[in-house]
Amino acid sequence: MASVAPLRPTPLPVPRATAPGVRPGPRVRSVRHLGPHWYASVMGTAIVATAGAALPVHVPGLRTVCAAVWALSLAMLLVLLPARALHWVHHRDQARAHLMDPAVAPFYGCLSMALLAVGGGALIVGRDWIGLPAAVALDTVLFAAGTLIGLVAAVTVPYLMVVHHRIESASPVWLLPVVAPMVSAALGPLLVPHLPPGQARQTLLIGCYALFGLSLLATLLVLPLVFGRLVTGGPPPLALTPALFLVLGPLGQSTTAANKFADAAPGVLPEPYAQGFAAFAVLYGVPVMGFALLWLALAGAMVLRARRRGMGFAMTFWAFTFPVGTCVTGAEGLVGHTGLAAFRWLAVGLYVLLVAAWLVAALHTARGLVSGALLAGPGPAAPGPRPATARTR
């Protein structure tokens, strides 16, 4: 498969962040171009574990494999967090350039979702290895940090887009900061049974519902812009075509959240609200899942078109993982609330697609890390022709 450069901003001609005359060591140089989009690999790995653990079919050994994949996502997060910290400490010029780049800044939402995905995975499947008390403690910390970061990103990134960025056209990556609160909404109900009965449980559940509304309404503002850009501007560049799958994220995650509300509400909220959430899970989730399948077909056709035109691997391939995984968990929730076999097999089919996408993205990413290509800076620009001059009279 041909290789194309991963998504990254063009470096600005700014001075080094190190002291004059001191060359940074290899470890520091290696993280200069480590952007926030790397957190998508953590998200995509964690969703393979959590979606597989809840799959509505029995596959011998699947839960053990999912626990191992979750442990891998935790290890990836523990490596990436200090690496990104080194990036900010030693390469602040590049970090600021990322924030000022409209193609990169939205990926700061991925930090929130990576924390939330690993934390939720601890309660869903990681507890098999680390025990329930440790899983609850880990998820509590990661959920709190991820939710706070997600709310900051949901405000800060749109502010930068309005005030500082110079934007030429809409992009599906705009969804990343505004979908982060939806991930909190979907995973927060997992902690409800571990809180004291009464106000604590009710506050968390209603708070997650508020996050659901925040993210949903923001998504409804962005989606028309993204589709309008496709209709009026044509297909995106080849390397960015996989980003069309990001639209599935808020669709699948909101369906998952609606089902989680229905699971957590009985005994926490008074009637008729508990029953209302059960009805809402089906009345909302089924049509949204239908639209998600429509978009999956459209985005898939665009990817096949791009592949025929020479699209190779880029870090945008990770867009094939987490968004599809949210559709798997959404379909799994609908199985429990409708009992329909159609949703069971939909969940299985989407999970097979998720695993295949994860294997492709993970293998190419590992290869790029070993070769150093994914952490290398952009090559020097080709020299242009000398500017012509003419004598004037």
Side-chain angles (χ1 to χ4, degrees):
M1 181 178 292
S3 177
V4 296
L7 177 64
R8 57 168 70 96
T10 302
L12 302 178
V14 289
R16 293 179 181 269
T18 52
V22 178
R23 293 180 58 84
R27 183 184 179 191
V28 174
R29 283 203 304 270
S30 68
V31 300
R32 175 167 178 79
H33 300 285
L34 186 73
H37 59 282
W38 277 87
Y39 286 112
S41 62
V42 179
M43 298 158 49
T45 302
I47 199 73
V48 170
T50 54
L55 209 61
V57 293
H58 177 67
V59 179
L62 177 60
R63 187 171 178 89
T64 301
V65 173
C66 289
V69 174
W70 172 80
L72 174 62
S73 72
L74 176 61
M76 292 168 64
L77 181 65
L78 293 177
V79 170
L80 192 53
L81 285 174
R84 285 285 297 159
L86 281 174
H87 173 84
W88 269 95
V89 170
H90 295 283
H91 303 292
R92 294 180 184 176
D93 60 317
Q94 187 73 355
R96 294 191 185 98
H98 286 168
L99 282 173
M100 293 298 106
D101 190 326
V104 181
F107 284 92
Y108 273 89
C110 291
L111 168 58
S112 165
M113 291 184 280
L115 296 171
L116 292 165
V118 173
L123 270 184
I124 295 173
V125 68
R127 63 183 183 179
D128 295 354
W129 285 17
I130 65 175
L132 183 59
V136 172
L138 178 61
D139 188 29
T140 300
V141 172
L142 294 182
F143 176 79
T147 300
L148 178 60
I149 293 171
L151 290 173
V152 171
V155 175
T156 303
V157 175
Y159 174 84
L160 292 174
M161 292 169 63
V162 172
V163 175
H164 293 290
H165 295 167
R166 296 296 176 262
I167 296 172
E168 297 180 358
S169 61
S171 169
V173 302
W174 290 5
L175 291 166
L176 290 172
V178 299
V179 79
M182 187 66 79
V183 180
S184 294
L187 295 176
L190 297 176
L191 287 169
V192 168
H194 303 284
L195 293 176
Q199 286 283 320
R201 293 184 179 182
Q202 292 177 2
T203 300
L204 177 57
L205 186 56
I206 294 299
C208 290
Y209 191 40
L211 292 171
F212 173 93
L214 180 159
S215 181
L216 178 62
L217 295 176
T219 297
L220 293 177
L221 292 176
V222 176
L223 279 182
L225 301 177
V226 173
F227 185 69
R229 155 63 181 83
L230 291 176
V231 172
T232 60
L238 296 183
L240 298 181
T241 303
L244 293 174
F245 273 67
L246 294 176
V247 174
L248 297 175
L251 302 176
Q253 199 66 272
S254 62
T255 303
T256 302
N259 284 284
K260 295 299 184 183
F261 296 155
D263 294 339
V268 175
L269 298 178
E271 296 297 346
Y273 302 111
Q275 281 297 113
F277 271 120
F280 179 70
V282 177
L283 296 177
Y284 174 86
V286 172
V288 171
M289 185 58 64
F291 179 70
L293 294 177
L294 170 66
W295 191 272
L296 176 62
L298 174 63
M302 298 291 289
V303 168
L304 290 177
R305 174 187 178 275
R307 184 70 188 96
R308 289 195 300 268
R309 284 161 172 77
M311 181 188 73
F313 174 75
M315 285 297 289
T316 49
F317 269 43
W318 285 101
F320 295 140
T321 57
F322 190 80
V324 173
T326 66
C327 293
V328 176
T329 57
E332 291 169 347
L334 289 174
V335 171
H337 290 104
T338 66
L340 293 177
F343 286 117
R344 177 179 294 108
W345 295 115
L346 174 62
V348 172
L350 289 175
Y351 188 70
V352 171
L353 176 62
L354 167 63
V355 172
W358 180 79
L359 287 173
V360 171
L363 289 175
H364 281 83
T365 301
R367 183 185 303 171
L369 284 173
V370 171
S371 67
L374 290 180
L375 292 177
R386 294 173 60 90
T389 58
R391 186 184 301 274
T392 59
R393 293 183 181 273

